[in-house]
C-alpha cells in the first residue's frame, strides 16, 4: 500500500425466480445435448431474437444477438429501455457426472439488481458468478459445478433497470474445477487499535474479537506487516508474534509482509531502517537475512510458522534505497535472494512471494519480473496490489494477472485491494478516496458497492488459467478511526484516512461486505 498522509422490450411477462426449476421451462429436444451449442453466438448473425441452441424466459425481447463479439463477429446482449428480467439458457443432458466449469467473456454497464451466470439443476447447489462491471474491456469469468444427475442448465440472467446492458460471448462448458484458497485480510492495524481503545462489534452490535468476527464470515488468511524499529513500537517483531498467536488460534494461515524499514515502504519510498543506515551493501544482505530469519524463527518457535512471506512490500523500484533500487538489478537480486534463503532456512514449506503495486500494469510487471528472472531471483508466488481507483480498469488487471501467471509459471494473488463503503471521514484527516469522481465507474461508495468490488476482484483471480489464482487480501480491514492509531507511527495525532475502506463501519459493527470472504 502506498499511503499518502493528506489527500492524495417488453413489459415483464413473469417474475424470474432465482432457482427456477427445469420443469417450468419448455425444453426443446435440440437442447438435450451433452455439449454446449453455439457458445459463441455466431449462428444466425446479428439480430437473432433467440440464438440457435438457446431458449429464453421472461422479457424475451431484451435478449438477442448483435455485432461486436469477443472473438467472433457476434455476441449475446441483454438490454431494454425499460426495466426487464430475462434469462437466456441452455439445457444439457447425457452428461457424465463429475466436475465442470463454465467459462465466459463478459461486459456489463452495471446498475442491475442482478446480472450473473448460473449453473443450476445440476443435482446440487446452484452456482453463480456475478458479472463484473466493465463497459469497454472484456473480462473472463468462470463458474464451477458438480454434476450429479447427468444434466445441467447453463443460464445467463439479468434483472435490470432501464438502460442497463450486458454482453456475453465465447461460453465453454468443460471438465474442470475452480476456486480460490486465500480469502484474507491485512490486519496490521489491529493491535494498536485495541491498545488505543478500538472496539469491534458483530453486525448485531455485540462486542467481540475482530479476528473471530472476520473468521465467522469466512476469512482464512491474515497478513501482518513487519517494521524493524518503528517509532510507536507496533508492527515490530514482538507485536507480530503476539498477533500471530491469535491468528493461528482462529485456524487461519499467516502471511508475513517484510517492509525492511522502520515505517511505510512502498513505490514512493523504500527507506532503510535507521540501524542499517551506513552499512555497506554486503552488510545489508546480511541484515536482510538476519532480520528475516530472526522474526520467522521466533514465529516457528512459538508454534505459529508463517505460511507465506513477502520479501519486500510494493517493491516496484526495489528496496533499501539506494543500494537495492532497480537501477542496479544485480544488487537488488542479491538482497531478494538473502530474504529467500532466510525464509527457507526456517521452513522450506513457507511460500516466498514478491510483491509489486502494478495490478493493472502488464508491461511494467513484465519488465520487473523479466529482470528478476534474468538475475536468478528465486520466488514461489507473485503478489500484486490492485486498487481500481489508482491502477486502471478490471480488464487491465485481468490481463496483468493472467500474463504473470503464464509468463513465469507461478501462482498469483492480490496482496492488497480495498474499496470505500462511504466517502465522509470518521476523523479529522481527509480520506484517501473521498469524492465520487475518484470511484471506479459502476461501483458506488456503499456497502453494496464495496461488497461487489471485493467479489468481482476475487472472481477475476478465480478465473486465472490452470488454477494459478490463489486469492485476495483486503487491505487493512480493521483500520477504523481510533485516536492515536493514525498513519504516522511517529505522530500520535495523525489521522487514519482509510477508515471508509475498512470492513467495520463507523459504529464499529461488521459490515455485510464481509460476505466476500465466502467467495468460492
Amino acid at each position: 500500500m502506498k499511503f499518502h498522509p493528506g489527500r492524495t422490450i417488453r413489459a415483464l411477462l413473469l417474475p424470474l425466480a432465482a432457482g427456477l426449476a427445469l420443469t417450468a421451462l419448455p425444453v426443446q429436444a435440440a437442447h438435450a445435448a451433452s455439449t454446449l451449442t453455439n457458445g459463441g453466438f455466431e449462428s444466425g448473425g446479428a439480430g437473432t431474437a433467440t440464438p440457435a441452441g438457446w431458449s429464453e424466459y421472461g422479457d424475451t425481447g431484451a435478449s438477442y444477438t448483435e455485432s461486436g463479439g469477443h472473438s467472433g463477429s457476434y455476441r449475446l446482449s441483454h438490454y431494454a429501455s425499460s426495466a426487464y428480467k430475462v434469462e437466456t439458457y441452455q439445457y444439457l443432458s447425457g452428461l457424465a457426472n463429475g466436475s465442470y466449469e463454465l467459462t465466459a467473456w463478459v461486459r456489463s454497464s452495471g446498475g442491475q439488481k442482478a446480472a450473473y451466470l448460473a449453473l443450476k439443476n445440476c443435482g446440487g447447489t446452484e452456482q453463480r458468478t456475478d458479472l463484473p462491471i466493465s463497459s469497454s474491456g472484456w473480462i473472463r469469468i468462470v463458474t464451477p459445478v458438480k454434476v450429479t444427475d447427468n444434466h445441467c442448465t447453463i443460464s445467463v440472467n439479468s434483472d435490470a433497470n432501464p438502460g442497463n446492458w450486458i454482453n456475453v460471448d465465447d461460453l465453454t462448458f468443460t471438465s474442470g474445477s475452480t476456486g480460490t484458497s486465500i480469502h484474507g485480510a491485512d490486519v496490521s492495524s489491529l493491535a494498536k487499535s485495541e491498545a488505543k481503545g478500538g472496539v469491534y462489534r458483530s453486525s448485531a452490535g455485540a462486542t467481540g474479537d475482530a479476528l473471530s468476527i472476520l473468521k465467522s464470515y469466512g476469512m482464512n488468511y491474515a497478513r501482518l506487516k513487519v517494521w524493524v524499529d518503528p517509532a510507536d513500537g507496533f508492527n515490530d517483531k514482538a507485536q507480530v508474534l503476539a498477533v500471530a498467536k491469535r491468528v493461528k488460534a482462529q485456524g487461519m494461515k499467516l502471511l508475513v509482509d517484510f517492509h525492511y524499514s522502520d515505517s511505510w515502504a512502498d513505490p514512493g519510498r523504500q527507506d532503510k531502517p535507521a540501524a542499517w543506515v551506513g552499512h555497506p551493501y554486503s552488510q545489508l544482505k546480511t541484515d536482510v537475512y538476519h532480520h528475516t530469519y530472526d522474526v520467522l524463527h521466533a514465529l516457528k518457535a512459538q508454534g505459529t510458522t508463517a505460511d507465506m512471506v513477502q520479501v519486500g512490500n510494493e517493491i516496484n523500484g526495489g528496496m533499501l534505497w539506494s543500494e537495492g533500487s532497480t537501477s542496479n538489478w544485480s544488487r537488488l537480486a542479491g538482497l531478494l535472494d538473502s530474504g529467500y534463503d532466510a525464509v527457507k532456512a526456517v521452513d522450506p514449506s513457507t511460500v516466498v512471494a514478491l510483491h509489486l503495486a502494478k495490478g493493472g500494469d502488464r508491461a511494467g510487471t513484465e519488465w520487473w519480473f523479466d529482470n528478476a528472472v534474468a538475475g536468478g531471483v528465486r520466488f514461489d508466488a507473485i503478489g500484486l496490489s490492485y486498487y481500481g481507483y489508482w491502477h486502471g480498469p478490471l480488464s487491465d488487471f485481468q490481463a496483468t494477472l493472467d500474463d504473470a501467471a503464464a509468463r513465469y509459471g507461478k501462482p498469483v494473488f492480490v496482496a492488497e485491494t480495498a474499496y470505500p463503503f462511504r466517502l465522509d471521514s470518521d476523523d479529522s484527516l481527509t480520506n484517501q478516496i473521498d469524492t465520487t469522481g475518484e470511484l471506479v465507474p459502476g461501483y458506488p461508495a456503499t456497502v453494496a458497492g464495496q461488497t461487489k468490488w471485493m467479489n468481482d476482484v476475487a472472481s477475476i483471480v478465480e478465473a486465472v488459467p490452470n488454477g494459478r489464482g490463489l486469492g485476495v487480501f483486503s487491505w487493512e480491514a480493521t483500520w477504523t478511526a481510533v485516536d492515536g492509531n493514525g498513519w504516522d507511527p511517529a505522530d500520535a495525532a495523525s489521522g487514519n484516512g482509510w477508515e471508509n475502506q475498512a470492513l467495520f463501519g463507523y459504529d464499529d459493527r461488521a459490515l455485510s461486505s464481509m460476505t466476500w470472504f465466502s467467495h468460492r
Side-chain angles (χ1 to χ4, degrees), residues 284-295:
L284 289 174
K285 287 198 295 182
T286 303
D287 292 334
V288 167
Y289 185 96
H290 284 166
H291 172 59
T292 307
Y293 185 93
D294 180 49
V295 174

Side-chain angles (χ1 to χ4, degrees), residues 451-514:
T451 307
K452 181 162 178 58
W453 176 262
M454 294 303 302
N455 275 311
D456 289 349
V457 169
S459 291
I460 290 172
V461 177
E462 183 186 11
V464 174
N466 300 311
R468 289 191 175 125
L470 295 179
V472 177
F473 288 91
S474 170
W475 194 70
E476 284 289 14
T478 57
W479 203 4
T480 53
V482 175
D483 288 346
N485 192 24
W487 72 272
D488 187 353
D491 180 4
S494 65
N496 180 330
W498 200 259
E499 70 270 18
N500 67 326
Q501 301 197 59
L503 296 182
F504 290 87
Y506 289 6
D507 58 1
D508 300 323
R509 297 188 183 202
L511 297 173
S512 59
S513 45
M514 285 189 192

Side-chain angles (χ1 to χ4, degrees), residues 277-344:
V277 171
H279 288 187
Y281 172 70
S282 60
Q283 181 62 40
L284 289 174
K285 287 198 295 182
T286 303
D287 292 334
V288 167
Y289 185 96
H290 284 166
H291 172 59
T292 307
Y293 185 93
D294 180 49
V295 174
L296 297 179
H297 183 264
L299 283 166
K300 186 173 184 177
Q302 71 171 14
T304 59
T305 302
D307 299 282
M308 186 186 295
V309 167
Q310 285 179 215
V311 178
N313 184 76
E314 296 190 331
I315 51 176
N316 297 11
M319 64 189 206
L320 295 172
W321 288 347
S322 60
E323 287 83 351
S325 83
T326 50
S327 62
N328 191 328
W329 263 100
S330 64
R331 289 196 164 195
L332 174 57
L335 295 171
L336 295 172
D337 277 340
S338 283
Y340 180 94
D341 287 339
V343 176
K344 298 299 184 179

Side-chain angles (χ1 to χ4, degrees), residues 176-442:
S177 62
T178 68
T180 51
S181 59
I182 295 174
H183 306 143
D186 191 303
V187 291
S188 299
S189 61
L190 178 59
K192 188 173 181 180
S193 173
E194 292 171 335
K196 300 296 181 180
V199 174
Y200 298 89
R201 305 180 189 278
S202 69
S203 59
T207 302
D209 177 74
L211 291 175
S212 178
I213 294 168
L214 290 160
K215 170 71 179 298
S216 73
Y217 281 87
M219 177 176 158
N220 65 4
Y221 223 121
R223 180 177 185 257
L224 299 174
K225 69 171 175 273
V226 187
W227 289 336
V228 176
D229 187 20
D232 60 1
F234 288 90
N235 299 118
D236 62 2
K237 173 186 171 183
Q239 291 289 336
V240 167
L241 286 169
V243 179
K245 286 183 178 180
R246 297 171 56 187
V247 166
K248 292 288 187 168
Q250 293 291 338
M252 297 180 185
K253 290 188 175 182
L254 173 65
L255 166 57
V256 179
D257 172 19
F258 285 93
H259 282 229
Y260 301 112
S261 181
D262 292 335
S263 186
W264 301 99
D266 57 47
R269 58 184 293 185
Q270 293 283 336
D271 302 328
K272 297 186 191 77
W276 302 2
V277 171
H279 288 187
Y281 172 70
S282 60
Q283 181 62 40
L284 289 174
K285 287 198 295 182
T286 303
D287 292 334
V288 167
Y289 185 96
H290 284 166
H291 172 59
T292 307
Y293 185 93
D294 180 49
V295 174
L296 297 179
H297 183 264
L299 283 166
K300 186 173 184 177
Q302 71 171 14
T304 59
T305 302
D307 299 282
M308 186 186 295
V309 167
Q310 285 179 215
V311 178
N313 184 76
E314 296 190 331
I315 51 176
N316 297 11
M319 64 189 206
L320 295 172
W321 288 347
S322 60
E323 287 83 351
S325 83
T326 50
S327 62
N328 191 328
W329 263 100
S330 64
R331 289 196 164 195
L332 174 57
L335 295 171
L336 295 172
D337 277 340
S338 283
Y340 180 94
D341 287 339
V343 176
K344 298 299 184 179
V346 173
D347 197 307
S349 68
T350 298
V351 175
V352 177
L354 298 180
H355 170 213
L356 304 183
K358 287 183 174 288
D361 182 1
R362 174 176 173 172
T365 300
E366 284 188 359
W367 174 84
W368 199 97
F369 277 99
D370 281 357
N371 276 287
V373 170
V377 175
R378 291 161 294 159
F379 60 97
D380 304 318
I382 293 171
L384 296 174
S385 293
Y386 175 63
Y387 297 97
Y389 38 72
W390 290 331
H391 294 146
L394 287 164
S395 53
D396 286 353
F397 163 56
Q398 181 167 70
T400 304
L401 205 64
D402 289 357
D403 179 68
R407 190 176 182 90
Y408 308 107
K410 303 290 186 182
V412 295
F413 65 98
V414 176
E416 299 181 17
T417 192
Y419 205 76
F421 62 90
R422 58 194 292 172
L423 293 174
D424 59 316
S425 296
D426 196 26
D427 62 14
S428 60
L429 182 64
T430 300
N431 288 333
Q432 294 283 287
I433 303 298
D434 73 329
T435 66
T436 55
E438 294 171 299
L439 298 174
V440 179

Side-chain angles (χ1 to χ4, degrees), residues 109-230:
S109 66
Q112 299 93 343
K113 298 173 184 175
Y116 61 92
L117 302 186
L119 295 172
K120 59 187 185 179
N121 309 312
C122 307
T125 304
E126 177 180 331
Q127 296 294 317
R128 293 185 180 184
T129 304
D130 291 335
L131 271 62
I133 298 167
S134 176
S135 60
S136 54
W138 290 87
I139 293 172
R140 186 184 64 260
I141 58 174
V142 295
T143 310
V145 75
K146 287 189 176 180
V147 173
T148 60
D149 286 346
N150 303 112
H151 54 73
C152 193
T153 299
I154 296 168
S155 175
V156 182
N157 293 266
S158 292
D159 181 355
N161 294 305
N164 297 159
W165 56 266
I166 66 170
N167 300 147
V168 180
D169 202 4
D170 292 339
L171 288 92
T172 60
F173 187 70
T174 58
S175 295
S177 62
T178 68
T180 51
S181 59
I182 295 174
H183 306 143
D186 191 303
V187 291
S188 299
S189 61
L190 178 59
K192 188 173 181 180
S193 173
E194 292 171 335
K196 300 296 181 180
V199 174
Y200 298 89
R201 305 180 189 278
S202 69
S203 59
T207 302
D209 177 74
L211 291 175
S212 178
I213 294 168
L214 290 160
K215 170 71 179 298
S216 73
Y217 281 87
M219 177 176 158
N220 65 4
Y221 223 121
R223 180 177 185 257
L224 299 174
K225 69 171 175 273
V226 187
W227 289 336
V228 176
D229 187 20

